[in-house]
């Protein structure tokens, strides 16, 4: 019998990388790039763990660690937010930067790390940006108004499988803001489009659909986001693969709303 | 913000229809002097209708340019700082240069009207043909025979190609017709129409420069 071929042992050589990181002390200061060396990085480190290693060293040297947003570190919370080598979340398909692993890099690589850049997302500190503009859009209409009470019966309102799937696809958005970061116009159309489409597809959301889309688009404008110029960069970097068809749906809902009464008066509590 | 963009899209569609119709007129130059001169005469015979149509087109153009510039200004304001490393994943050159191809086209439209509608440029040769009509055929041939004029036309047509390459599929998204199924359809429509227009309009200066076909006689 032929001896079985042994699989080559996985090479676990530690890497040394050159990091060029955006450092900014506060929102008003003009930031600049600083260069660091990341040593002893294994291919199994996640991108954030790699930054942790660098930060440990910075702390030991008595320097300020690099500030960055993070929370769940398993790709579902939408907190981590950095542009790696010019691409939001680092360019690995449907992956947040916390789930980007160092095996995607080679020993000796130079990595540029920048914060999300958009007028609506002011930089607070290093790589941390204020993304509360997205919350303002949700506040403007990202909900349905209903009387709370007893738990409704299952299948009380029938929803087709297609509509349900469509709404679920839209609801996958984790609000990380990568779409805004990747958009050359700093537009939040993918984020808002996903929310508008999510509700517009379901009977519970359809009641207030025209008012909702008008209010959310207005909030988007007031927060200083740009317009969509249909490059689809947002879809390409979205860690949840939100499709740009939802932007199209929002545009359609908006244009439909122009011909409806009460549009732009989303004040559910007064109804 | 969506409304403004939709207006840019709608006026763009009107101008696309005009460009398509205009291309049939321009291509009638290949049928020789009789064809295009008769076509030009027929247009002139419309009288006030032609004037009204022109006024509407100028209005549509002004709306398109004004709103496109307004939308772009908001976009520039929304993204004041650029990334040090800029990499795009799916954005096209045509998409990213819409403003510039558009401004180039605007300059071209102004020159084109000055040249062949108002006959205000020095290269224009005005002749009357045997049937007593304005000899549009000779006018086109004499102007486009000059290499700089022809090259300018070819550059403008390349700008038109780029503008429509992105513009046609972009319209479908802006007015809310796009989904997984229709996206490839609109993209193919955009590429096909813009290529056909480039080939159609582009052949005229090329054939005249080369002195081929009806232009060789």
């Amino acid at each position: 019998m032929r001896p079985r071929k042994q699989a080559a042992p996985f090479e676990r050589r530690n890497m040394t990388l050159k990091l060029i990181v955006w450092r900014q002390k506060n929102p008003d200061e003009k930031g600049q790039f600083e260069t660091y060396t990341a040593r002893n990085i294994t291919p199994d480190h996640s991108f954030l763990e790699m930054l942790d290693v660098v930060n440990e060293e910075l702390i030991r040297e008595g320097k300020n660690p690099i500030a960055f947003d993070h929370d769940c570190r398993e790709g579902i919370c939408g907190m981590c937010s950095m542009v790696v080598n010019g691409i939001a979340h680092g360019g690995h398909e449907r992956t947040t930067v916390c789930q980007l692993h160092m095996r995607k890099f080679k020993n000796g690589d130079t990595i540029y790390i920048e914060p999300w850049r958009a007028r609506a997302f002011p930089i607070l500190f290093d790589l941390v940006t204020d993304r509360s503009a997205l919350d303002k859009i949700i506040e403007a209409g990202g909900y349905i108004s209903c009387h709370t009470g007893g738990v409704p019966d299952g299948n009380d309102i029938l929803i087709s499988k297609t509509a349900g799937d469509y709404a679920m696809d839209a609801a996958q958005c984790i609000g990380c803001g990568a779409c805004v970061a990747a958009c050359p116009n700093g537009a939040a159309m993918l984020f808002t489009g996903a929310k508008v489409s999510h509700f517009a597809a379901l009977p519970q959301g359809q009641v207030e659909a025209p008012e909702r889309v008008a209010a959310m688009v207005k909030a988007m404008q007031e927060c200083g986001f740009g317009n969509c110029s249909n490059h689809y960069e947002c879809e390409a970097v979205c860690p949840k693969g939100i499709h740009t068809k939802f932007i199209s749906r929002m545009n359609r809902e908006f244009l439909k709303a122009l011909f409806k009464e009460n549009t732009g008066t989303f004040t559910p509590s007064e109804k | 913000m969506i409304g403004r963009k939709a207006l840019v899209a709608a006026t763009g569609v009107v101008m696309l229809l005009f460009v398509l119709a205009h291309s049939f007129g321009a291509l009638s130059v290949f049928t020789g002097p009789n064809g295009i001169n008769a076509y030009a005469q027929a247009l002139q015979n419309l009288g006030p209708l032609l004037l009204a149509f022109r006024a509407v087109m100028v209005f549509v153009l002004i709306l398109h340019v004004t709103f496109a510039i307004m939308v772009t200004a908001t976009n520039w304001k929304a993204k004041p700082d650029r990334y040090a490393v800029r990499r795009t994943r799916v954005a096209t050159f045509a998409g990213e240069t819409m403003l510039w191809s558009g401004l180039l086209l605007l300059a071209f439209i102004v020159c084109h009207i000055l040249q062949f509608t108002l006959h205000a440029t020095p290269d224009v040769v005005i002749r009357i043909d045997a049937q007593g009509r304005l000899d549009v055929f000779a006018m086109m041939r004499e102007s486009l025979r000059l290499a700089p004029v022809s090259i300018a036309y070819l550059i403008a047509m390349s700008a038109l190609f780029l503008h429509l390459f992105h513009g046609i599929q972009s319209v479908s998204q802006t007015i809310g017709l796009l989904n997984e199924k229709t996206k490839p359809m609109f993209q193919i429509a955009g590429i096909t129409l813009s290529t056909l227009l480039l080939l159609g309009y582009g052949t005229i200066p090329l054939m005249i420069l080369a002195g081929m076909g009806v232009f060789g006689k």
Side-chain angles (χ1 to χ4, degrees):
Chain A
M1 208 169 86
R2 255 170 60 191
R4 232 193 220 168
K5 218 174 175 183
Q6 286 278 316
F10 183 61
E11 200 185 352
R12 299 186 59 82
R13 215 179 64 187
N14 285 3
M15 296 186 279
T16 302
L17 303 148
K18 185 176 158 195
L19 306 184
I20 300 173
V21 187
W22 185 259
R23 301 302 306 262
Q24 187 168 331
K25 285 200 184 93
N26 56 58
D28 308 313
E29 190 219 37
K30 201 180 174 312
Q32 75 287 324
F33 281 102
E34 275 178 33
T35 309
Y36 302 95
T37 309
R39 293 185 189 85
N40 297 322
I41 304 301
T42 75
D44 295 335
H45 271 130
S46 74
F47 200 82
L48 300 191
E49 284 163 349
M50 180 274 292
L51 286 178
D52 290 340
V53 172
V54 175
N55 276 346
E56 291 291 338
E57 200 173 319
L58 286 176
I59 292 166
R60 267 199 300 275
E61 289 168 9
K63 291 180 185 156
N64 260 342
I66 302 159
F68 59 89
D69 263 331
H70 65 111
D71 195 1
C72 74
R73 296 209 178 194
E74 51 187 26
I76 55 169
C77 78
M79 220 28 213
C80 58
S81 48
M82 50 189 86
V83 173
V84 180
N85 286 336
I87 296 182
H89 285 308
H92 193 57
E93 206 175 329
R94 296 199 182 191
T95 307
T96 52
V97 72
C98 66
Q99 286 296 300
L100 176 71
H101 283 80
M102 297 314 291
R103 63 184 82 100
K104 301 286 174 203
F105 295 89
K106 289 195 305 288
N107 188 30
D109 273 359
T110 300
I111 307 173
Y112 275 83
I113 310 173
E114 296 176 73
W116 284 175
R117 288 193 196 279
R119 185 161 73 104
F121 288 170
I123 298 170
L124 298 178
F125 200 64
D126 297 345
L127 304 173
V128 181
T129 51
D130 178 2
R131 284 171 283 173
S132 54
L134 294 184
D135 300 334
K136 290 205 183 87
I137 295 174
I138 293 294
E139 278 168 28
Y143 51 85
I144 58 161
S145 326
C146 62
H147 295 292
T148 51
V151 179
D153 289 337
N155 292 334
D156 195 14
I157 302 171
L158 293 177
I159 294 163
S160 75
K161 170 91 172 112
T162 346
D165 285 350
Y166 180 90
M168 283 299 281
D169 285 348
Q172 279 210 71
C173 171
I174 53 175
C176 64
C179 46
V180 180
C183 178
N185 311 327
M189 300 276 279
L190 193 64
F191 172 82
T192 318
K195 196 46 74 183
V196 165
S197 308
H198 167 196
F199 286 123
L202 300 174
Q204 294 94 329
Q206 276 155 9
V207 184
E208 296 162 308
E211 295 93 333
R212 173 178 302 106
V213 67
M216 290 180 86
V217 169
K218 191 164 163 249
M220 197 158 65
Q221 203 169 359
E222 282 167 0
C223 289
F225 290 106
N227 305 277
C228 179
S229 42
N230 309 331
H231 296 302
Y232 311 132
E233 282 296 310
C234 50
E235 180 186 292
V237 299
C238 178
K240 296 295 152 188
I242 305 283
H243 200 282
T244 39
K245 71 178 175 190
F246 295 124
I247 299 182
S248 184
R249 176 70 181 259
M250 173 169 63
N251 291 340
R252 194 161 74 234
E253 292 292 330
F254 184 86
L255 296 173
K256 258 162 57 185
L258 286 179
F259 302 100
K260 295 242 168 93
E261 271 182 77
N262 301 331
T263 300
T265 53
F266 195 56
T267 49
S269 56
E270 292 165 20
K271 274 182 191 165
Chain B
M1 60 205 319
I2 294 176
R4 284 178 187 177
K5 189 74 202 279
L7 200 66
V8 176
T11 46
V13 170
V14 174
M15 287 195 289
L16 171 67
L17 293 176
F18 171 77
V19 164
L20 282 172
H22 190 62
S23 76
F24 292 120
L27 284 175
S28 69
V29 74
F30 289 119
T31 59
N34 262 330
I36 194 160
N37 293 358
Y39 163 72
Q41 187 64 45
L43 278 186
Q44 288 298 333
N45 288 344
L46 291 174
L49 217 66
L50 179 69
L51 269 181
F53 176 75
R54 282 176 175 168
V56 170
M57 285 315 296
V58 169
F59 179 64
V60 165
L61 174 71
I62 291 170
L63 275 184
H64 186 78
V65 174
T66 316
F67 280 90
I69 288 175
M70 272 160 76
V71 166
T72 311
T74 330
N75 293 348
W76 283 1
K77 229 169 92 185
K79 197 87 172 181
D81 301 309
R82 296 276 145 185
Y83 294 108
V85 182
R86 190 170 135 64
R87 270 164 67 200
T88 53
R89 305 203 69 193
V90 289
T92 56
F93 175 75
E96 291 189 308
T97 50
M98 280 305 267
L99 179 72
W100 310 116
S101 58
L103 289 176
L104 200 69
L105 280 174
L106 179 65
F108 167 74
I109 292 168
V110 171
C111 296
H112 188 56
I113 292 175
L114 280 177
Q115 189 180 22
F116 288 149
T117 309
L118 303 175
H119 308 145
T121 50
D123 58 288
V124 176
V125 176
I126 307 272
R127 272 186 220 148
I128 302 297
D129 72 358
Q131 277 87 21
R133 301 172 300 206
L134 174 71
D135 197 348
V136 178
F137 181 83
M139 181 174 77
M140 277 171 79
R141 191 184 55 193
E142 294 311 314
S143 282
L144 289 169
R145 216 177 237 176
L146 307 167
V149 177
S150 260
I151 290 167
Y153 270 78
L154 289 173
I155 292 172
M157 288 311 108
S158 313
L160 180 70
F161 168 75
L162 286 175
H163 206 71
L164 292 180
F165 185 90
H166 179 79
I168 293 173
Q169 60 92 13
S170 188
V171 162
S172 66
Q173 171 80 342
T174 303
I175 60 174
L177 298 177
L178 202 131
N179 58 38
E180 285 115 325
K181 268 190 208 153
T182 55
K183 191 174 178 179
M185 275 158 42
F186 281 112
Q187 276 172 338
I188 291 169
I191 295 167
T192 317
L193 268 181
S194 51
T195 312
L196 282 177
L197 283 169
L198 174 70
L199 290 178
Y201 278 123
T203 358
I204 301 171
L206 282 179
M207 293 280 276
I208 293 178
L209 264 189
M212 282 160 74
V214 283
F215 308 107
K217 290 170 203 162

